[in-house]
Amino acid sequence: MSEPNAAPPTAPMWKKLWRSAVREPFTGDRRSRLRLVMNNLILHLHPSQVPVRTLRFTYSWGLGGLSALLVVMLGVTGAMLMFVYTPSPDQAYPSILALETQVWYGQLVRNLHHWAGNALVIVATLHLLRVFFTGAFREPRAFNWLVGVALLLLTVAANFTGYLLPWDQLAYWGITVGASIVTYVPVVGNTLAQVLLGGPEIGPATLLNFYALHLSVIPVTMLFLMSLHFWRVRKDGGLSLPRRVDEPPVVKDENVTTFSDLVRPEAVWATVTVTTLVLWSMLVDAPLEPLANPDLSPNPAKAAWYFMGIQELLLHFHPLFGAIIIPGLALLGLTALPYLDSDMDSVGVYFRSRRGRWLAAFSAATGALLTVGYVLLDEFVLDLPALLPSLPTLVSNGLVPLALLGLGLFGFAALTRRAFGATRCEATLGIFTLILTGFVILTLIGIFFRGPGMALMWPWDVATVGH
Amino acid sequence: MTTISTPSTETPGPTRRDFLKAGWGLLTGVAALEAGLASLQFALPRVAAGSFGGVIVCGPAADFPPGSVTPFNEGRFYLARLDDGGFLALYRRCTHLGCAVPWDPTTGQFVCPCHASAFDSTGQVLNQPAPRPLDRFAVQVIDGDVRVDTGKPLERDRFEPDQLVYA
Amino acid sequence: MRQHYLIGFSAAFILTTALGLYMAFEPTRQTQAQQDLLAHQVNEGQVLYAEDCAICHGASGEGLGANPPLDSDGLRDADYDALYKVIARGRYNTAMPAWSVTDGGPLNEAQIEALIAHIQHGDWLETRAVVVDLGFEPRAPISVTVPAEALDAIATLPGGPQLAAAVETYAAECVACHGADGQGTPLAVALNTEAIRADRGADQLTAAITNGVAGTVMPAWSGTLSPEQIQDLVALIQRWDEIPAGAIPEPPDEPIIVTEELLATGEALYASSCARCHGTDGQGTRRAPALNVQSFFAAYSADAAVEQVISLGVPGTAMPAWGERLSEGEIEAIVAYLRAWEPTAPAVAVAQTGGFGGPPWQRNNAAPNPQPLAPDPAPTAAPTADPTGEASAGVPAAAPGSPSGDAIAGGHGEAAPADDATVSRVDWRVVGLIGVPGAFALSILIGAALALWRLRGK
């Protein structure tokens, strides 16, 4: 029901142009601010007014918006890189060298792209954690949680495909290791890996495949899913309302206008983020190792950092379990979370309750200590196939430890419910935190504590000996 | 949470907040301009390392008899030596719309196959639609060797004798 | 938030200033980056040169025998493409092989570019230092003089004068690589065998000596030896069985001076570099043969031979060329350590199996591996000599196990076992890395458990 804003026929041309583009003049009063958001393509991603509580920075930390900003930055820098990079094994590496030494600001653009990409994995994960710990994934937001998980997987896929493009030693062997993990999928693993690589090994076909995936398939899918994600946020009622631990659920809250009470902090934090990323990119270069040499595997050969948790798992479990079953179960659990039995009304409360907070701390500490303990145990003392020689390693080093792990987790959940009186929600939170911490520890060990021969060693030794 | 003040309660004169707000906007604009300029420079063509674009050594001057026109495909030019012994390196790119103009020894002309422009052995226009003579490259004779710098095509309105280089 | 504008302003200010400064310095950065890249390529070229080219073209590119020098202005100004083709494709009818992977060689495009950068921009004196440091200095051709009595004895054979002349030439030029009795060395094939006499005709032998053998260290002798001398040598090879053994004296072996210190260094280096393939006591594993066995010492009676093998590796096996990672002194130390086994070496070695740790399904014996992470591990394996820390090119993968990545195959072993001589000191890095977070986690665990216990009724 907008009022026609057309300029009178006698008005000057510039006025007519302006009026045809801007549907309504902005007068600064409340109604005008509401209508500005409604009438603007970018702004109308937001509702025209928001509950004042949701503006609290320490609730959402702006992580969702931050992720979107990083995606935009990746798109812009990526588009610029497209003008210089050539996706052929002979020319990929020289084109990166030329980018860094002959193209104006080439090094800066590459660095921005690299660091934004890595930052996105971390920020998107933090966003997922925030949503989980505030219970904001419950109905009606459960479907959006699934969309979000899909986006996270796509982010990792984008990182993975982009990793290969420089065609240096790091890229070549990191992707070899990463793709080899795929071969452990039963029945279709080898075919899957061959489709991905465009052949039995990494070659020119792989580079083209990954280039196509990285530049068109994944970004387009991400754009679609991001649109779905934002749309669902609106449909599901916007951000969940934060509340203190002992507050009753808030039904109605005072609203403020998006413009400019939400837009302003968004703009501020966008500026801060861009500044930080640009400064970081000016100071720290993206890594580039020597040209890929198919005849020379580095020792150790490590996948990208976000896969190091899985690579570490592979050192302790039979490959089928370490690469496929355990991560698969974890992913299944992640997607099932919103649909699990929920016995508390705690949306908007960090960690559900007071007990939940302590439980999170308790689970994190337990997870850290147990994971480190298990890694050491498995590395130096335990040798399950030797203890159970009659069983195939699939069972003795796969099923058995997984069963033990499962029992342990159940036991932990039971402990928290019995000894601490935790509700089902809180127990789930505890288990989630336990597994999360475990995975983080495994990733850290994989990155910093593994050296040549994937031997366990102190980080300062890895630096002198590793690749 | 603050809302934008309505005119009736606005304090007279710009406040510190207004300054910061305006400054923020202005600085962001400047940063955007910087980024735009950087992107333009990013897009500049790189100096291509290759034979075309560099100095081509044609060979000893004695190899080119007066009255000859020798093609150098690598350098995309013809080396013309006029009857008085002067060298002229003619860029084979037609000045009309860019086709490669071949030399026809029988007629002693460059005739462009695309739109029938014609040029004489000094590159001057004999037939339209070419708007100007063929561009030339700088020629040097060093130690008896003829060298042509294909990095920079030189435009001209007409042929002048001082464009020739003698061994 | 009142501070929003201030934060926004400050961030925008920093961004604008930083961008402006960066843009102003970009030309400098680019030039510097180009120079760094060139310097880097030259360095890489030096290492590659030391590994692959010095042996034929000399430690500072001065040429060796019939092989041409490379330290010339002509090459520095040469056409890039022409130079690339020579290195990549080799030179027909000479000993210069094809080095490019596309033509069957070991070097990829970037490596050949590095070599060219080195030839055209490198400092050859620096290169010599690198070659010597990496242990690749080509051995000066060792010549020996044959005692007059031996020559007279040979001259009495039918066709003797030719044989005697050949023996003299052989002693002067060929002994270094082919051995005093033609028995061969790790550098060159044996010449005194039935097989050579039976299978190689005079034409083949003449061609090999005259033109060299592509892909090997055998140079073309056409520039150094006259056709008659070459014919004499061919006759010698065809009639080696007639020459009395020992006629040509062995070249003197430069002995290694063994000290306590040298042995200790050798032991430490062996533990960190060799043990994981050759066994902790040289008894061999499935990856590499035994060294602590009589047959090894019998085959490698000269220290120089052992040094050669360690330095140059054994092509076609997993034995890498350590000369690029260890200095000559370090290799001597290892050899001294190995020699120390000789008196007590068994006749038959029992290979060591497993026991190196790693993922459980990779370990193939029940012996537990109880070595905890030592607080101060001994100098760990193969510190890379290359300052840029890259894996060096052209060296066969040092890691045993499947080429698809050590991660999946698991590989082996933790860091080198701690040197016995190390006194247990408190390593503060370990305390900091493990102790602090560990204590933190424990205190959180206990504190949270207590808090949860108190909350349990609510």
Side-chain angles (χ1 to χ4, degrees):
Chain A
M1 219 192 66
S2 52
E3 288 133 15
N5 193 31
T10 51
M13 184 55 79
W14 66 265
K15 200 161 195 175
K16 286 190 190 160
L17 281 169
W18 180 255
R19 288 287 183 86
S20 73
V22 177
R23 292 169 62 89
E24 279 178 37
F26 180 67
T27 54
D29 64 330
R30 188 167 204 276
R31 184 170 173 279
S32 188
R33 294 201 298 277
L34 292 173
R35 293 191 68 80
L36 174 68
V37 171
M38 253 178 55
N39 289 330
N40 184 298
L41 174 69
I42 310 278
L43 284 179
H44 101 296
L45 285 171
H46 304 92
S48 47
Q49 48 187 343
V50 290
V52 68
R53 292 174 168 249
T54 61
L55 292 177
R56 193 195 314 164
F57 183 70
T58 52
Y59 181 63
S60 72
W61 307 92
L63 289 167
L66 190 55
S67 306
L69 174 67
L70 288 171
V71 170
V72 169
M73 285 184 77
L74 284 167
V76 170
T77 51
M80 291 174 82
L81 290 173
M82 275 176 72
F83 283 87
V84 184
Y85 174 77
T86 314
S88 134
D90 291 330
Q91 298 179 32
Y93 190 75
S95 71
I96 301 281
L97 286 179
L99 177 72
E100 293 186 344
T101 59
Q102 291 173 28
V103 175
W104 284 76
Y105 313 108
Q107 180 78 67
L108 183 62
V109 175
R110 174 163 188 250
N111 292 350
L112 268 170
H113 196 76
H114 180 88
W115 296 120
N118 280 313
L120 182 60
V121 174
I122 299 179
V123 168
T125 308
L126 287 175
H127 178 58
L128 179 143
L129 293 180
R130 192 287 287 170
V131 170
F132 173 77
F133 283 125
T134 52
F137 56 91
R138 301 252 197 77
E139 291 293 357
R141 299 182 174 88
F143 180 69
N144 214 15
W145 168 265
L146 294 183
V147 176
V149 171
L151 278 169
L152 181 64
L153 291 175
L154 277 175
T155 304
V156 172
N159 253 279
F160 184 65
T161 48
Y163 208 73
L164 179 66
L165 301 184
W167 204 254
D168 64 347
Q169 280 286 74
L170 189 66
Y172 191 93
W173 296 107
I175 298 307
T176 303
V177 170
S180 301
I181 294 181
V182 170
T183 59
Y184 287 110
V185 175
V187 182
V188 294
N190 275 316
T191 318
L192 212 56
Q194 291 222 10
V195 167
L196 192 65
L197 295 180
E201 263 196 5
I202 295 189
T206 319
L207 192 54
L208 272 181
N209 281 3
F210 276 41
Y211 184 71
L213 285 170
H214 188 74
L215 266 81
S216 50
V217 175
I218 293 176
V220 166
T221 316
M222 272 184 86
L223 240 104
F224 170 69
L225 284 180
M226 276 169 74
S227 311
L228 182 61
H229 200 64
F230 297 162
W231 182 77
R232 278 301 302 233
V233 169
R234 291 287 302 276
K235 278 293 181 201
D236 298 335
L239 250 66
S240 49
L241 293 174
R243 58 188 164 102
R244 304 230 188 295
V245 134
D246 37 19
E247 252 184 273
V250 180
V251 175
K252 193 81 171 85
D253 190 26
E254 180 204 333
N255 280 347
V256 287
T257 55
T258 300
F259 192 91
S260 57
D261 292 322
L262 174 58
V263 169
R264 188 185 334 115
E266 283 185 342
V268 171
W269 297 119
T271 314
V272 170
T273 308
V274 171
T275 306
T276 314
L277 255 176
V278 169
L279 276 174
W280 180 261
S281 303
M282 287 178 180
L283 297 170
V284 186
D285 284 345
L288 190 67
E289 296 196 351
L291 178 68
N293 188 347
D295 299 328
L296 181 66
S297 298
N299 183 4
K302 291 191 180 179
W305 65 268
Y306 39 85
F307 281 146
M308 283 316 297
I310 299 189
Q311 201 171 349
E312 179 67 26
L313 264 182
L314 281 169
L315 294 175
H316 301 284
F317 287 87
H318 183 279
L320 176 63
F321 283 77
I324 307 297
I325 295 190
I326 295 181
L329 284 174
L331 195 61
L332 208 65
L334 199 64
T335 50
L337 271 174
Y339 304 98
L340 292 178
D341 201 14
S342 154
D343 58 354
M344 282 174 83
D345 180 13
S346 57
V347 178
V349 183
Y350 259 103
F351 304 108
R352 315 277 183 276
S353 62
R354 262 199 203 89
R355 185 182 299 119
R357 282 188 212 162
W358 288 112
L359 196 50
F362 180 76
S363 309
T366 313
L369 291 166
L370 282 182
T371 311
V372 173
Y374 176 69
V375 168
L376 290 174
L377 195 77
D378 192 61
E379 184 80 6
F380 297 117
V381 176
L382 203 58
D383 189 356
L384 283 169
L387 284 174
L388 307 163
S390 52
L391 296 171
T393 46
L394 183 75
V395 175
S396 64
N397 212 35
L399 214 51
V400 168
L402 180 62
L404 290 172
L405 197 66
L407 277 172
L409 286 174
F410 268 115
F412 184 83
L415 169 80
T416 55
R417 297 207 69 195
R418 290 286 163 71
F420 302 136
T423 63
R424 257 192 231 121
C425 261
E426 289 163 343
T428 313
L429 186 121
I431 294 288
F432 180 92
T433 315
L434 185 76
I435 298 177
L436 172 73
T437 322
F439 187 69
V440 169
I441 297 284
L442 287 178
T443 308
L444 290 173
I445 293 180
I447 297 175
F448 295 113
F449 289 82
R450 292 273 176 200
M454 292 310 275
L456 210 50
M457 57 179 65
W458 301 112
W460 42 87
D461 293 325
V462 171
T464 55
V465 184
H467 81 80
Chain B
M1 294 314 291
T2 50
T3 54
I4 296 180
S5 339
T6 50
S8 54
T9 58
E10 190 182 348
T11 44
T15 64
R16 191 177 83 164
R17 189 171 304 152
D18 292 328
F19 169 76
L20 289 175
K21 187 170 154 192
W24 173 19
L26 186 70
L27 285 168
T28 311
V30 173
L33 276 172
E34 284 175 328
L37 176 63
S39 306
L40 274 171
Q41 286 178 297
F42 180 86
L44 284 175
R46 272 169 285 158
V47 175
S51 34
F52 178 65
V55 174
I56 309 268
V57 178
C58 303
D63 285 353
F64 306 103
S68 67
V69 175
T70 319
F72 284 88
N73 288 337
E74 209 181 70
R76 319 223 175 121
F77 65 90
Y78 285 88
L79 187 67
R81 193 168 194 191
L82 303 190
D83 291 329
D84 65 354
F87 282 103
L88 191 59
L90 297 165
Y91 189 9
R92 73 179 186 202
R93 190 176 188 276
C94 184
T95 50
H96 176 225
L97 287 173
C99 290
V101 189
W103 167 256
D104 184 1
T106 50
T107 55
Q109 290 181 356
F110 293 95
V111 183
C112 185
C114 292
H115 310 102
S117 298
F119 309 84
D120 68 9
S121 63
T122 62
Q124 299 215 91
V125 179
L126 296 172
N127 191 34
Q128 284 187 357
R132 65 173 194 276
L134 289 175
D135 298 335
R136 63 185 186 93
F137 290 126
V139 181
Q140 281 184 305
V141 180
I142 298 176
D143 294 334
D145 278 338
V146 181
R147 289 164 182 251
V148 175
D149 180 6
T150 59
K152 205 162 135 28
L154 305 166
E155 290 185 16
R156 57 218 169 116
D157 291 328
R158 74 189 72 81
F159 166 69
E160 304 277 355
D162 60 10
Q163 293 164 0
L164 294 173
V165 171
Y166 294 89
Chain C
M1 267 178 73
R2 235 161 284 159
Q3 298 97 306
H4 274 156
Y5 288 123
L6 183 62
I7 297 174
F9 179 87
S10 317
F13 181 78
I14 295 174
L15 181 65
T16 314
T17 319
L19 264 179
L21 281 170
Y22 192 87
M23 288 170 76
F25 280 105
E26 174 69 3
T28 320
R29 185 204 70 84
Q30 261 189 48
T31 320
Q32 186 62 46
Q34 287 167 8
Q35 283 171 354
D36 287 344
L37 184 61
L38 186 62
H40 180 90
Q41 283 181 316
V42 168
N43 279 337
E44 204 190 320
Q46 275 176 340
V47 173
L48 287 167
Y49 181 85
E51 288 172 9
D52 297 322
C53 322
I55 199 149
C56 288
H57 286 284
S60 52
E62 72 274 21
L64 205 67
N67 303 316
L70 301 178
D71 59 347
S72 63
D73 282 332
L75 276 183
R76 266 186 276 276
D77 295 334
D79 178 39
Y80 184 91
D81 288 325
L83 204 46
Y84 189 95
K85 280 180 203 157
V86 170
I87 301 177
R89 304 183 197 171
R91 265 204 204 282
Y92 182 66
N93 223 14
T94 70
M96 176 68 174
W99 289 97
S100 158
V101 263
T102 46
D103 292 281
L107 301 180
N108 62 30
E109 200 174 317
Q111 291 169 314
I112 299 181
E113 281 179 14
L115 275 173
I116 297 174
H118 163 251
I119 292 172
Q120 297 195 311
H121 301 276
D123 179 347
W124 284 101
L125 283 177
E126 233 180 62
T127 308
R128 163 168 276 277
V130 170
V131 169
V132 170
D133 196 50
L134 294 176
F136 280 111
E137 183 155 24
R139 300 205 153 252
I142 300 169
S143 15
V144 278
T145 17
V146 186
E149 313 86 60
L151 281 176
D152 291 337
I154 295 171
T156 58
L157 297 166
Q162 189 192 33
L163 282 181
V167 164
E168 265 190 303
T169 312
Y170 184 89
E173 308 280 4
C174 319
V175 164
C177 294
H178 285 283
D181 269 323
Q183 77 274 33
T185 66
L187 282 175
V189 298
L191 298 175
N192 61 356
T193 59
E194 265 306 322
I196 290 244
R197 286 192 284 278
D199 298 338
R200 301 258 189 249
D203 288 338
Q204 275 181 302
L205 292 171
T206 311
I209 304 176
T210 313
N211 301 324
V213 180
T216 70
V217 181
M218 176 67 174
W221 289 96
S222 54
T224 323
L225 300 174
S226 69
E228 296 84 47
Q229 283 178 303
I230 296 181
Q231 284 312 309
D232 293 344
L233 286 171
V234 169
L236 172 64
I237 297 172
Q238 289 180 320
R239 297 174 57 187
W240 203 290
D241 47 344
E242 298 175 37
I243 306 292
I248 305 170
E250 285 275 355
D253 190 16
E254 266 177 29
I256 302 172
I257 303 162
V258 177
T259 62
E260 282 260 349
E261 232 178 33
L262 195 72
L263 280 176
T265 312
E267 184 178 353
L269 284 168
Y270 180 88
S272 59
S273 307
C274 324
R276 102 187 40 172
C277 288
H278 284 285
T280 41
D281 286 307
Q283 71 273 53
T285 66
R286 7 176 216 141
R287 287 182 284 273
L291 304 174
N292 189 355
V293 69
Q294 287 175 9
S295 49
F296 171 74
F297 294 109
Y300 286 90
S301 51
D303 283 346
V306 187
E307 284 179 58
Q308 289 271 26
V309 174
I310 300 178
S311 183
L312 300 178
V314 182
T317 69
M319 174 67 177
W322 290 96
E324 157 254 324
R325 268 173 279 194
L326 301 174
S327 72
E328 211 172 309
E330 286 171 329
I331 295 182
E332 277 184 6
I334 295 180
V335 173
Y337 177 70
L338 294 179
R339 282 272 170 236
W341 287 332
E342 190 167 357
T344 51
V348 176
V350 179
Q352 181 179 7
T353 48
F356 281 107
W361 68 93
Q362 286 286 331
R363 301 174 216 153
N364 60 353
N365 78 336
N369 196 9
Q371 312 227 20
L373 289 171
D376 198 12
T380 42
T384 40
D386 190 336
T388 54
E390 315 148 3
S392 54
V395 174
S402 70
S404 64
D406 272 46
I408 314 285
H412 51 233
E414 73 293 343
D419 194 344
D420 285 338
T422 313
V423 176
S424 320
R425 294 189 321 270
V426 174
D427 187 347
W428 290 106
R429 294 176 298 190
V430 175
V431 172
L433 187 63
I434 301 299
V436 170
F440 185 65
L442 262 171
S443 46
I444 290 195
L445 185 74
I446 297 172
L450 281 171
L452 282 165
W453 186 257
R454 268 193 279 132
L455 277 173
R456 76 186 181 285
K458 303 172 192 170

